[in-house]
Amino acid sequence: MPTRTGTTPRRPLHALLVALFGALLPLLAALLVAAPAASARTETADVVPTATLTEVTDFGANPSALRMYVYVPDSVTAHPAVLVAVHWCTGSGPDMYNGTEYDTLADQYGFIVLYPSVTRSSKCFDVASPQALKRDGGSDPVGIRSMVDWATRTYDADTGRVFATGISSGAMMTNVLLGDYPDVFAAGAAFSGVPFGCFATTDGSEWNSACAQGTVTRTAQEWGDIARAAYPGYTGPRPRMQLWHGTQDDVLRYPNFGEMIKQWTNVQGVGQTPAATDTPQSGWTRTRYGGTGDRAPVEAISLQGVGHNLYSSGMAARVLTFFGLDSDGPAPQPQPGACKVTATTNAWNTGLTASVTITNTSTTAINGWRLGFTLPAGQTITNGWGAMYTPASGTVTATDAGYNAALAPGASVSIGYQANHTGNSAAPGAFTLGTTACTLG
């Protein structure tokens, strides 16, 4: 089969995003452009060819018979990040590959891209059934989780850097994946979607007209509870979310944008008042919640006068910035020669908050850091700020949040987290910044 090169022409994406359901068929007739066949190898072996779209079979549990396509760049890094790119209704994994830039960005930054592909007749992902809206309940999310497991197993990928993004039906699935598997995905980016659980049905239907029309409204707490109910008892960190929506969306209407903001700010435990608002491009309004930098807990981009088919070239790069993937290699460099950490806790019955201050006491400036520490037995992080924390218990790595990545000689940065405890509410007793052991202040 022919391999894909950087000179292969791309076709426009804009006409392939509208959902295929009942009343929308006339709209599709006007907008839908047939997708050209994508070249893809088929592999059953563990390691696939590089720099070409490849179908992988027998990748694990797959109750809804999804097909799996993968792109591994020639420049794949050690312990690479994994990005799941989810297509729209009537689309396919190869369509998503052809219509977005994630493969060429993978060539630049060394991560792996997975392209799930629906085989049911609608070519829409299941975001409505009770099985899909429950962790390991069945249907599409289980198959996608198996694809991620295959990638992490095969390439020793970084389990702390697994991400999801999708368009339309794929955006809805992005919401579902982050709700079902908050311990698997570090962040998501949803283009023209709806909140987790908004499309829920019990009659076997794939389509929920009330949700699509934007008439399903709930409080932030109610939306957050719906997402948390997918994985009862989970108390670890929750994925960050980036949301994109056009004000003139006539398929999944614009009120869904506000409902998603409610849901994911509540899930993240941050307020609904933006910490920052700006206009990164004419007609765009970007709000950030719980932080002001590129890796805020929730980032929302509203596109004035834009319809459902909002995805365009250049947006994928902004997704990578939010994910923290737009840098070469997974390890921040350089590391300081010396550091100091001050850590205090404020505890109550079964919970605590911890305040941590990191000081670069060396003469070497750094831009990008990872702070390692071990939580006392019985402690589990439930929320954090100023950094991304993985995993939630045991030996933890706190990675800079982008906006606070730079530490000049003598400079300090303050971060913190909230945790549950079973009696020991002490702060960690030792810290490392990269490979450097820090003194306690």
Side-chain angles (χ1 to χ4, degrees):
M1 300 288 284
T3 59
R4 187 168 183 274
T5 69
T7 59
T8 301
R10 292 190 175 276
R11 60 181 172 75
L13 177 67
H14 67 279
L16 287 172
L17 307 179
V18 180
L20 181 63
F21 289 101
L24 296 176
L25 288 173
L27 180 62
L28 276 171
L31 295 179
L32 188 61
V33 176
S39 297
R41 299 173 62 109
T42 300
E43 297 286 335
T44 56
D46 281 344
V47 177
V48 303
T50 59
T52 183
L53 184 66
T54 304
E55 182 174 7
V56 174
T57 59
D58 300 325
F59 51 85
N62 185 22
S64 56
L66 297 177
R67 297 176 74 173
M68 172 186 173
Y69 297 86
V70 60
Y71 182 82
V72 180
D74 286 331
S75 58
V76 64
T77 62
H79 311 301
V82 176
L83 174 61
V84 180
V86 194
H87 67 75
W88 51 92
C89 277
T90 76
S92 68
D95 287 342
M96 189 72 174
Y97 167 78
N98 281 325
T100 59
E101 314 96 296
Y102 293 111
D103 61 318
T104 56
L105 290 167
D107 289 336
Q108 184 175 356
Y109 297 116
F111 57 87
I112 293 170
V113 192
L114 305 179
Y115 299 94
S117 196
V118 170
T119 58
R120 63 178 60 88
S121 59
S122 68
K123 298 299 178 68
C124 297
F125 285 92
D126 176 13
V127 297
S129 74
Q131 292 78 20
L133 298 175
K134 178 181 178 183
R135 177 186 177 84
D136 295 336
S139 198
D140 297 343
V142 170
I144 295 173
R145 166 69 188 275
S146 293
M147 297 178 196
V148 171
D149 289 344
W150 176 92
T152 56
R153 180 175 66 247
T154 303
Y155 291 93
D156 194 19
D158 186 343
T159 57
R161 296 192 304 145
V162 178
F163 305 92
T165 186
I167 300 169
S168 189
S169 178
M172 293 192 279
M173 178 51 69
T174 297
N175 279 266
V176 169
L177 290 172
L178 268 59
D180 284 357
Y181 296 107
D183 54 333
V184 173
F185 293 93
F191 290 83
S192 304
V194 304
F196 178 98
C198 185
F199 243 58
T201 59
T202 57
D203 59 0
S205 172
E206 297 177 49
W207 187 254
N208 185 318
S209 294
C211 178
Q213 291 299 310
T215 62
V216 178
T217 59
R218 306 184 191 278
T219 67
Q221 183 67 43
E222 288 170 339
W223 279 126
D225 288 345
I226 289 170
R228 285 183 287 268
Y231 187 4
Y234 177 73
T235 58
R238 293 282 175 171
R240 296 178 302 113
M241 178 61 97
Q242 183 186 64
L243 304 166
W244 300 73
H245 222 99
T247 61
Q248 299 302 310
D249 193 325
D250 58 356
V251 177
L252 300 174
R253 293 189 179 273
Y254 187 68
N256 283 300
F257 181 60
E259 299 303 298
M260 285 187 288
I261 293 173
K262 288 183 194 177
Q263 183 171 65
W264 292 107
T265 52
N266 183 266
V267 167
Q268 281 286 338
V270 300
Q272 295 179 58
T273 300
T277 302
D278 65 358
T279 306
Q281 188 169 311
S282 178
W284 294 14
T285 300
R286 178 172 60 189
T287 49
R288 287 168 167 164
Y289 303 84
T292 59
D294 288 335
R295 299 186 207 173
V298 178
E299 179 175 277
I301 302 98
S302 172
L303 284 70
Q304 182 63 40
V306 176
H308 186 62
N309 306 332
L310 63 80
Y311 182 87
S312 63
S313 179
M315 291 179 176
R318 294 180 181 272
V319 170
L320 292 202
T321 296
F322 180 73
F323 289 167
L325 289 180
D326 56 349
S327 60
D328 296 313
Q333 295 291 336
Q335 295 298 335
C339 50
K340 181 179 72 174
V341 172
T342 301
T344 60
T345 60
N346 180 23
W348 59 94
N349 293 337
T350 59
L352 63 88
T353 57
S355 298
V356 180
T357 299
I358 309 162
T359 303
N360 178 7
T361 56
S362 74
T363 59
T364 303
I366 62 172
N367 186 20
W369 48 263
R370 289 187 177 187
L371 183 71
F373 55 90
T374 299
L375 289 173
Q379 290 188 16
T380 302
I381 294 175
T382 58
N383 193 20
W385 49 93
M388 294 181 289
Y389 299 82
T390 55
S393 60
T395 301
V396 177
T397 298
T399 304
D400 70 82
Y403 67 88
N404 59 3
L407 270 178
S412 299
V413 61
S414 293
I415 63 175
Y417 57 86
Q418 183 173 331
N420 294 329
H421 69 84
T422 57
N424 186 346
S425 60
F431 296 86
T432 58
L433 198 58
T435 59
T436 302
C438 301
T439 61
L440 294 178

